[in-house]
Amino acid sequence: EAQVTQNPRYLITVTGKKLTVTCSQNMNHEYMSWYRQDPGLGLRQIYYSMNVEVTDKGDVPEGYKVSRKEKRNFPLILESPSPNQTSLYFCASSPRTIHEQYFGPGTRLTVT
Amino acid sequence: AQSVTQLDSHVSVSEGTPVLLRCNYSSSYSPSLFWYVQHPNKGLQLLLKYTSAATLVKGINGFEAEFKKSETSFHLTKPSAHMSDAAEYFCVVSDHPGNNRKLIWGLGTSLAVNP
């Protein structure tokens, strides 16, 4: 089944404790992206990747890191999480951005 | 600069009546336009997309949207609302030369359907 998977789905952590949210797709898509969703702010892009070893900042990259060492994986790293990073996070992939994006189920992160 | 404006943050309709969710965009190039839907506590799903073919685009679940270049609009419509249509709807524009373009998301419109 074609899908985008994210793990974990729910995470509660404390300020400053490094964490990684994994994202994997099995559709051989070149384009992958991370978004955060906050009430009243829609989806905001954090980072995106056009292909392996090619990543770029989105609209809200501060406090996040990503890597794209393999085509299928695009982990999101929070080196020192803060409470303002409490949010719902979505990973997405597509062949190109002019095509439909396939979204993961979301990761709800709470930083206390 | 590219932008997307969803003109209504909340829309409420009665079941069986028409739905209109409005989206205006600004574009420097020939845009691709999308509508995505997010049901409560669910992920996002593509409803329909416009990529320079027919200006009237039909999507899933009876939704359609018309690309009007002169009005820079891409409004989403459905003739008759169903209770299951209650969700958050996002208008998205992909606007930059080439096949991998920056995506600009609207802030969303919350659709409520009343019995």
Side-chain angles (χ1 to χ4, degrees), chain A residues 13-80:
Chain A
T13 189
V14 296
T15 299
K17 185 176 181 182
K18 181 179 179 180
L19 66 92
T20 299
V21 183
T22 64
C23 173
S24 183
Q25 50 96 2
N26 62 0
M27 295 168 280
N28 201 36
H29 287 166
E30 290 192 359
Y31 182 87
M32 296 187 74
S33 181
W34 274 103
Y35 298 89
R36 60 178 290 173
Q37 183 177 26
D38 303 288
L41 297 178
L43 266 75
R44 294 181 291 169
Q45 191 176 50
I46 303 171
Y47 269 94
Y48 62 96
S49 170
M50 299 291 194
N51 211 328
V52 176
E53 301 292 1
V54 181
T55 64
D56 210 344
K57 297 177 180 178
D59 299 314
V60 289
E62 295 78 20
Y64 304 95
K65 287 176 59 177
V66 293
S67 68
R68 187 91 181 274
K69 297 177 181 176
E70 308 165 280
K71 202 169 190 178
R72 64 184 292 124
N73 296 323
F74 191 46
L76 179 69
I77 304 157
L78 285 73
E79 297 252 343
S80 183

Side-chain angles (χ1 to χ4, degrees), chain B:
Chain B
Q2 308 95 329
S3 68
V4 174
T5 302
Q6 291 184 240
L7 296 167
D8 306 291
S9 58
H10 301 280
V11 171
S12 182
V13 301
S14 297
E15 190 174 20
T17 64
V19 175
L20 170 63
L21 305 183
R22 298 181 294 165
C23 174
N24 285 356
Y25 68 92
S26 68
S27 169
S28 304
Y29 305 97
S30 297
S32 295
L33 294 154
F34 307 81
W35 276 99
Y36 283 85
V37 60
Q38 185 180 28
H39 287 94
N41 300 312
K42 300 276 186 170
L44 291 110
Q45 180 185 20
L46 181 71
L47 264 182
L48 51 79
K49 65 178 180 181
Y50 165 80
T51 54
S52 76
T55 56
L56 182 62
V57 181
K58 294 187 185 299
I60 61 172
N61 300 332
F63 284 94
E64 61 183 37
E66 186 171 8
F67 172 69
K68 291 186 176 180
K69 186 175 182 178
S70 61
E71 299 177 11
T72 61
S73 69
F74 191 57
H75 301 335
L76 182 70
T77 60
K78 183 173 181 178
S80 176
H82 191 272
M83 296 295 290
S84 61
D85 295 328
E88 189 86 14
Y89 292 80
F90 295 96
C91 181
V92 185
V93 62
S94 172
D95 177 29
H96 203 275
N99 290 326
N100 262 328
R101 308 171 179 180
K102 184 171 176 62
L103 295 172
I104 310 297
W105 286 72
L107 295 183
T109 298
S110 177
L111 175 64
V113 182
N114 306 308

